Amino acid sequence: MTEKKVSARDCLFKRDEGSFKNSMEIIEQYCREHGLQLTPVRKKVFEFLLDEPRGLGAYKILDLLRLSGFNSQPPAAYRALDFLVENGFAHKVESQNLFVACTKPGSHHSPVFMICKKCDRVSETQSTSLDANISDSLRLSGFEIEHAVIEAEGICSVCAGSGSS
Amino acid sequence: MTEKKVSARDCLFKRDEGSFKNSMEIIEQYCREHGLQLTPVRKKVFEFLLDEPRGLGAYKILDLLRLSGFNSQPPAAYRALDFLVENGFAHKVESQNLFVACTKPGSHHSPVFMICKKCDRVSETQSTSLDANISDSLRLSGFEIEHAVIEAEGICSVCAGSGSS
DNA sequence: TTTTCCTATGATATATTATAACATTACTCG
DNA sequence: CGAGTAATGTTATAATATATCATAGGAAAA
């Protein structure tokens, strides 16, 4: 009756300041160690992603860059996103054309996403067993997987538990 | 050295005329039984999809419609695709913005795709065990799946076996 | 039969997502 | 300094998708 969407404050997946800082520090260190340039635009885009558990579209990111004083054009946003995705700091959610910060930055893996239709929150699992299952199944058919897109849409535990509708 | 791509003739996933006809007959019957209108545009689009194991983009389908004498605009193609997808006759491959005929038309399910980077062929598996694995894993986290997008990119058995590169 | 209603299609415009191509800057390294 | 590379700026356009309103066509009600 009151609200359609669960507010960010109530979310199970909420991240506190500590984990924000932690993710940023992790990728800063990773970049130092691997000779990667975490330029201002790239860093800013990663901040945006960390700050938005629902993920962000490329053009929303472009807007945010402009609000932050960057006078950017679309390629700037896509280039920053390419950098973040290539280096395992972010992922693209293919079924939503949306980008999210990686919860395990720097570890190259095939993520599994759960996208809540109610609160729009995107959460990533590190389901190694899941990856293994899929690999095994498909390997039986002789298919060699290089990358897997696994995205589940449905209702997250918070929204399911909040006795609405 | 000779060819980069495996030709359609050599493909393990090749469908013969018999199975084409079969798929069409299946959806014709399904539509009759469920009061669905398999109009000329919709039928034609389904034919295109049956005929292209690599899948087709919406605008490619639009081109084909025009070549077939339909004077169509983009919404016509998307409407036909919506109809086919909603009724389980086709799927969208999200990671490629591409549509494919369903190999089990009419059975509503969450398909698993294998997309070969070499021959571009898209094949669908009916991996119920796979679905089950994913459901179980995510259910543990309290997430209720309504739909799952599972798309593996890699090298198909035909291309892997054809001793190239 | 005429009217009504519903479904599908036609038609126009525009929104959204993404990239190509070339110019410029900025930093490193020799 | 000068050359080379990586990043960014800039302009234009490609590719994908939808909103909106108009029209047609057939089935069902009156």
Side-chain angles (χ1 to χ4, degrees):
Chain A
M1 294 300 157
T2 51
E3 295 176 78
K4 279 233 150 33
K5 302 286 182 177
V6 174
S7 88
R9 292 285 128 207
D10 300 329
C11 183
L12 213 154
F13 307 124
K14 183 179 64 170
R15 298 184 240 201
D16 56 31
E17 286 302 316
S19 72
F20 272 55
K21 194 180 165 196
N22 203 29
S23 288
M24 186 57 83
E25 281 173 356
I26 288 171
I27 85 163
E28 283 172 339
Q29 183 181 352
Y30 185 96
C31 287
R32 271 193 305 275
E33 288 173 354
H34 292 77
L36 300 171
Q37 299 184 46
L38 189 59
T39 61
V41 187
R42 291 167 174 178
K43 186 168 179 173
K44 202 72 193 172
V45 171
F46 188 64
E47 274 178 26
F48 296 149
L49 294 179
L50 281 180
D51 207 29
E52 182 45 87
R54 295 175 179 82
L56 290 168
Y59 279 75
K60 179 65 184 168
I61 287 169
L62 184 57
D63 289 344
L64 293 171
L65 281 174
R66 286 169 173 166
L67 287 173
S68 298
F70 294 85
N71 194 5
S72 300
Q73 297 302 317
Y78 282 101
R79 283 164 180 161
L81 287 166
D82 284 348
F83 170 85
L84 294 172
V85 169
E86 274 168 18
N87 292 291
F89 305 148
H91 301 291
K92 180 173 186 185
V93 183
E94 297 288 351
S95 62
Q96 322 283 315
N97 292 328
L98 207 128
F99 297 85
V100 295
C102 177
T103 56
K104 271 204 150 182
S107 78
H108 291 262
H109 58 280
S110 280
V112 175
F113 294 111
M114 297 174 290
I115 304 138
C116 181
K117 287 182 165 177
K118 217 159 172 185
C119 66
D120 295 328
R121 220 161 241 99
V122 176
S123 52
E124 178 184 351
T125 70
Q126 307 296 333
S127 178
T128 44
S129 68
L130 204 60
D131 277 0
N133 280 330
I134 287 181
S135 294
D136 289 348
S137 286
L138 294 197
R139 209 164 6 242
L140 284 180
S141 71
F143 191 88
E144 295 169 11
I145 298 182
E146 289 182 9
H147 177 70
V149 171
I150 307 179
E151 302 172 3
E153 295 170 59
I155 308 292
C156 75
S157 56
V158 175
C159 288
S162 69
S164 58
S165 84
Chain B
M1 290 306 153
T2 50
E3 293 178 81
K4 279 233 148 39
K5 302 284 181 179
V6 174
S7 89
R9 292 285 129 210
D10 301 330
C11 184
L12 211 154
F13 307 124
K14 183 178 64 169
R15 298 183 240 200
D16 56 31
E17 287 301 317
S19 71
F20 273 53
K21 194 179 167 198
N22 204 31
S23 288
M24 186 57 83
E25 281 172 357
I26 288 170
I27 85 162
E28 281 173 340
Q29 183 180 352
Y30 185 97
C31 287
R32 270 194 305 275
E33 289 173 353
H34 292 76
L36 300 171
Q37 299 184 46
L38 188 59
T39 61
V41 186
R42 291 167 174 178
K43 186 167 179 174
K44 202 71 193 174
V45 171
F46 187 64
E47 274 178 26
F48 296 150
L49 294 179
L50 281 180
D51 206 30
E52 182 45 89
R54 295 174 179 83
L56 291 167
Y59 278 76
K60 180 64 186 171
I61 287 168
L62 183 58
D63 288 345
L64 293 171
L65 280 175
R66 287 170 172 166
L67 288 174
S68 297
F70 295 85
N71 195 7
S72 301
Q73 297 303 317
Y78 282 101
R79 284 165 179 161
L81 288 166
D82 284 349
F83 170 85
L84 295 172
V85 169
E86 275 168 17
N87 293 292
F89 305 148
H91 301 292
K92 180 174 185 186
V93 182
E94 298 287 350
S95 63
Q96 322 282 316
N97 292 328
L98 209 128
F99 297 85
V100 295
C102 177
T103 56
K104 271 205 149 179
S107 77
H108 290 262
H109 58 279
S110 280
V112 175
F113 295 111
M114 299 176 288
I115 303 137
C116 181
K117 287 182 163 177
K118 220 160 169 183
C119 67
D120 295 328
R121 220 160 242 101
V122 177
S123 52
E124 178 185 351
T125 70
Q126 309 294 335
S127 179
T128 44
S129 66
L130 204 59
D131 277 359
N133 281 328
I134 287 182
S135 294
D136 289 347
S137 287
L138 294 196
R139 208 159 12 237
L140 284 180
S141 71
F143 190 89
E144 294 169 13
I145 299 181
E146 288 183 10
H147 177 70
V149 171
I150 307 178
E151 301 173 2
E153 295 170 59
I155 307 292
C156 75
S157 56
V158 175
C159 288
S162 69
S164 57
S165 77

